[in-house]
């Protein structure tokens, strides 16, 4: 029976490839872009307090938010890709159970994180690399995030769960709601309520809580497939295995991001607060390019997973090919534009010439890195979508494993220059290894295909 455009399955099964990608990825790109805009506005408001130590604290706290995202992605990526594969197999009841289990496990993980980390706040500050004037600001900033961690983790999970059934617009709306509330509250909490940097964090948590409430409302009242009813909270070994085998790869990917942030914070802090601030501002600017790529490859994950389990391999590979082309074209164009207008953009965040000069140099390295990061992300997304835990885990670990020696050797061999370019070197190597894994996976798959499976073989010809 032909699906209508109002049906999520229409985009999974029948929509033209560019239309299906646009339906799933454009809302994701818009949602992530508005999050990037908020991040810039947040830095703008903090910058208006004319305190480099505060800007340093915001940068140091990125490791904590990355860790919360990593935990959320265990259940969001693990549960979301599993749901899409189940939908491809028409196992709707199991998909309902996975959505419920993923949500409640994310809440439990958030509560556990909060209970463990609050007593360890001061050791965490040392690990983050907070020094001098930045210590009290970093403490007040991350404490708010720790208290709000159950909602932050659940938000990352639910955003992917609703997208797993094709509700990409709902996913985007939740992001928009969170950011809009955030932007409204920031100046009120920071300046009118005199909460300073803690006000910026509180605005983020309140916005996240609103997004979680929105997703819960959708899943309870509007979703035609998924649910978060306690009645369907029925975890079993097979379900947990399928959630965690891919969720762990997502966790490792984000955890190594935390490690890289910690290394970056500690190494850059050796060269002064201006270097840490330069990295922080550059990271926010380059997010525009990175979020376009992330929106594309994260958006098509349900499409790839559904097509794979539905044995529509020709459609799956066309989705991958088209997405890769979009990533290269869009990321390259945006990176070039950011590079051309780099100096005026930096002046929006700081008037300190040391921060500006160092930050512009850092930005150049990050923009080059983002080109390779987009393809790396797509390769990881493919392996996660088709349930290839081995390849997904290897890819997730490779970047972090390579980055650590690159950054250490770069720091001791070339100083700040080495620290700046270490991420780019690691990203190029990771992308190369990922392409090698994909080619090897393709060859193994071809060997297992019978001589009568000519359609499958032809679907891989473009590779």
């Amino acid at each position: 029976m032909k699906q209508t455009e109002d049906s999520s399955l229409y985009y999974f099964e029948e929509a033209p490839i560019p239309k299906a990608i646009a339906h799933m990825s454009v809302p994701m790109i818009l949602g992530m872009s508005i999050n990037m805009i908020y991040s810039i506005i947040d830095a703008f408001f903090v910058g208006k307090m004319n305190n480099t130590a505060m800007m340093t604290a915001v940068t140091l706290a990125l490791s904590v938010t990355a860790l919360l995202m990593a935990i959320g992605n265990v259940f969001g990526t693990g549960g979301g890709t599993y749901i899409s594969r189940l939908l491809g197999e028409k196992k709707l009841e199991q998909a309902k159970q996975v959505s419920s289990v993923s949500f409640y496990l994310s809440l439990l993980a958030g509560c556990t994180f909060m209970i463990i980390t609050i007593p360890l706040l001061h050791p965490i500050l040392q690990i983050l690399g907070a020094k001098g004037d930045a210590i009290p600001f970093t403490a007040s900033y991350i404490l708010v995030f720790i208290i709000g961690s159950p909602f932050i983790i659940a938000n990352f999970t639910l955003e992917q769960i609703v997208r797993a059934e094709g509700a990409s617009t709902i996913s985007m709306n939740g992001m928009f709601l969170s950011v809009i509330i955030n932007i409204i509250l920031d100046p009120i909490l920071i300046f009118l309520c005199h909460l300073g940097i803690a006000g910026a964090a509180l605005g983020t948590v309140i916005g996240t809580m609103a997004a979680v409430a929105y997703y819960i409302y959708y899943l309870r009242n509007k979703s035609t497939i998924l649910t978060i009813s306690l009645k369907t909270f029925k975890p079993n070994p097979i379900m947990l295995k399928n959630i965690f085998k891919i969720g762990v790869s997502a966790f490792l990917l984000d955890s190594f991001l935390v490690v890289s942030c910690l290394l970056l914070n500690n190494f850059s802090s050796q060269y002064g607060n201006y270097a840490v601030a330069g990295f922080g501002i550059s990271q926010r600017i380059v997010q525009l390019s990175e979020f376009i790529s992330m929106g594309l490859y994260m958006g098509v994950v349900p499409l790839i997973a559904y097509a794979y389990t539905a044995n529509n391999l020709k459609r799956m590979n066309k989705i991958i090919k088209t997405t890769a082309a979009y990533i290269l074209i869009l990321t390259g164009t945006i990176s070039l534009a950011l590079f051309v207008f780099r100096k005026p953009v930096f002046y929006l965040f700081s008037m300190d010439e040391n921060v500006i000069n160092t930050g512009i140099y850092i930005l150049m390295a990050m923009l080059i890195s983002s080109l390779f990061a987009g393809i790396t992300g797509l390769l990881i997304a493919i392996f996660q979508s088709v349930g290839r835990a081995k390849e997904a885990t290897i890819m997730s670990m490779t970047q972090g494993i390579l980055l650590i020696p690159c950054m250490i050797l770069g720091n001791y061999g070339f100083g700040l220059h080495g620290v700046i370019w270490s991420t780019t070197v690691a990203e190029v190597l990771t992308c190369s290894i990922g392409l090698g894994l994909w080619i090897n996976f393709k060859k193994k798959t071809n060997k297992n295909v019978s001589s009568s499976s000519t359609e499958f073989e032809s679907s891989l010809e473009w590779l």
Side-chain angles (χ1 to χ4, degrees):
M1 182 176 179
K2 190 175 180 63
Q3 300 286 342
T4 66
E5 291 193 24
D6 293 331
S7 169
S8 297
L9 296 184
Y10 165 76
Y11 295 98
F12 284 125
E13 297 176 346
E14 298 178 14
I17 298 300
K19 187 174 184 177
I21 293 174
H23 174 78
M24 296 300 294
S25 293
V26 169
M28 187 70 188
I29 291 171
L30 292 174
M32 297 188 74
S33 295
I34 198 171
N35 268 299
M36 179 275 301
I37 292 170
Y38 164 70
S39 180
I40 291 175
I41 292 174
D42 192 43
F44 173 79
F45 283 127
V46 173
K48 285 299 180 184
M49 289 185 278
N50 296 313
N51 191 319
T52 301
M54 285 188 179
M55 185 62 72
T56 300
V58 172
T59 302
L60 295 175
L62 288 174
S63 297
V64 176
T65 55
L67 180 57
L68 293 173
M69 180 177 69
I71 299 172
N73 282 343
V74 171
F75 310 103
T77 303
T81 54
Y82 188 31
I83 287 170
S84 295
R85 292 197 298 275
L86 288 170
L87 294 179
E89 296 174 310
K90 308 299 182 185
K91 297 178 178 178
L92 304 186
E93 192 59 37
Q94 289 96 319
K96 284 185 177 183
Q97 293 176 3
V98 173
S99 63
S100 181
V101 169
S102 297
F103 169 62
Y104 288 109
L105 288 182
S106 72
L107 283 180
L108 179 62
C111 293
T112 304
F113 180 87
M114 178 176 61
I115 293 170
I116 291 173
T117 53
I118 286 179
L120 300 174
L121 180 60
H122 291 292
I124 290 172
L125 293 175
Q126 293 179 331
I127 294 173
L128 292 176
K131 298 178 181 177
D133 294 342
I135 292 177
F137 295 122
T138 307
S140 61
Y141 192 70
I142 67 171
L143 180 60
V144 177
F145 281 108
I146 289 173
I147 294 173
S149 56
F151 300 101
I152 297 172
I153 292 172
N155 178 57
F156 283 119
T157 298
L158 291 177
E159 180 270 318
Q160 295 182 75
I161 293 298
V162 299
R163 198 170 68 252
E165 70 165 350
S168 54
T169 302
I170 299 299
S171 174
M172 177 189 69
N173 290 343
M175 295 183 196
F176 271 47
L177 178 63
S178 173
V179 170
I180 290 170
I181 291 176
N182 231 322
I183 292 174
I184 293 172
L185 290 179
D186 253 10
I188 295 174
L189 296 174
I190 293 173
F191 301 112
L192 294 181
C193 296
H194 305 289
L195 294 177
I197 196 170
L202 182 58
T204 301
V205 172
I206 294 174
T208 299
M209 292 170 66
V212 170
Y214 173 75
Y215 290 136
I216 289 174
Y217 171 79
Y218 168 79
L219 289 169
R220 286 179 62 89
N221 300 285
K222 301 292 184 179
S223 175
T224 57
I225 300 174
L226 305 182
T227 182
I228 55 166
S229 171
L230 273 173
K231 295 179 180 179
T232 57
F233 181 71
K234 300 175 181 178
N236 59 65
I238 295 176
M239 181 189 300
L240 295 177
K241 178 183 177 180
N242 277 280
I243 291 174
F244 282 102
K245 76 174 184 179
I246 298 301
V248 167
S249 73
F251 177 80
L252 289 173
L253 178 64
D254 294 324
S255 295
F256 277 116
L257 176 62
V258 174
V259 173
S260 67
C261 284
L262 292 174
L263 285 172
L264 196 59
N265 291 340
N266 281 277
F267 282 129
S268 61
S269 65
Q270 297 175 12
Y271 303 95
N273 280 343
Y274 76 91
V276 179
F279 271 107
I281 295 172
S282 297
Q283 286 170 333
R284 281 172 168 77
I285 295 172
V286 83
Q287 279 178 347
L288 178 59
S289 174
E290 291 178 341
F291 282 178
I292 295 294
S293 295
M294 291 174 66
L296 280 165
Y297 64 71
M298 291 175 66
V300 299
V301 163
L303 296 177
I304 296 172
Y306 188 99
Y308 179 76
T309 52
N311 204 31
N312 193 346
L313 299 174
K314 183 177 180 180
R315 182 176 177 85
M316 181 191 79
N317 282 286
K318 192 172 180 181
I319 290 169
I320 294 170
K321 179 181 179 180
T322 306
T323 304
Y326 289 166
I327 287 174
L328 290 173
I329 293 170
L330 293 175
T331 303
T333 302
I334 293 171
S335 295
L336 180 61
L338 288 173
F339 180 74
V340 170
F341 297 102
R342 59 195 181 279
K343 198 156 189 177
V345 170
F346 254 88
Y347 274 115
L348 294 173
F349 303 101
S350 177
M351 300 301 292
D352 187 324
E353 288 298 325
N354 285 330
V355 173
I356 292 170
N357 292 332
T358 303
I360 287 174
Y361 181 46
I362 294 169
L363 180 64
M364 181 171 64
M366 288 186 172
L367 288 174
I368 295 173
S369 178
S370 69
L371 296 172
F372 294 90
I375 299 301
T376 298
L378 177 59
L379 290 167
I380 294 173
I382 293 168
F383 290 131
Q384 290 175 338
S385 300
V386 301
R388 296 291 300 191
K390 178 182 176 181
E391 287 85 352
T393 302
I394 291 173
M395 283 292 294
S396 299
M397 294 178 64
T398 297
Q399 185 180 38
I401 291 174
L402 288 175
L403 181 59
I404 294 171
C406 284
M407 195 170 289
I408 293 174
L409 293 173
N411 179 61
Y412 288 107
F414 302 96
L416 182 58
H417 297 282
V419 174
I420 291 171
W421 286 100
S422 60
T423 303
T424 307
V425 172
E427 199 65 67
V428 172
L429 293 173
T430 303
C431 186
S432 301
I433 292 171
L435 289 171
L437 284 173
W438 174 248
I439 292 171
N440 184 57
F441 169 65
K442 180 198 70 173
K443 289 179 179 178
K444 288 182 178 179
T445 305
N446 282 335
K447 288 180 181 179
N448 294 329
V449 177
S450 65
S451 58
S452 62
S453 301
T454 54
E455 182 181 351
F456 177 80
E457 293 177 349
S458 64
S459 72
L460 295 173
E461 281 298 318
W462 70 271
L463 292 171

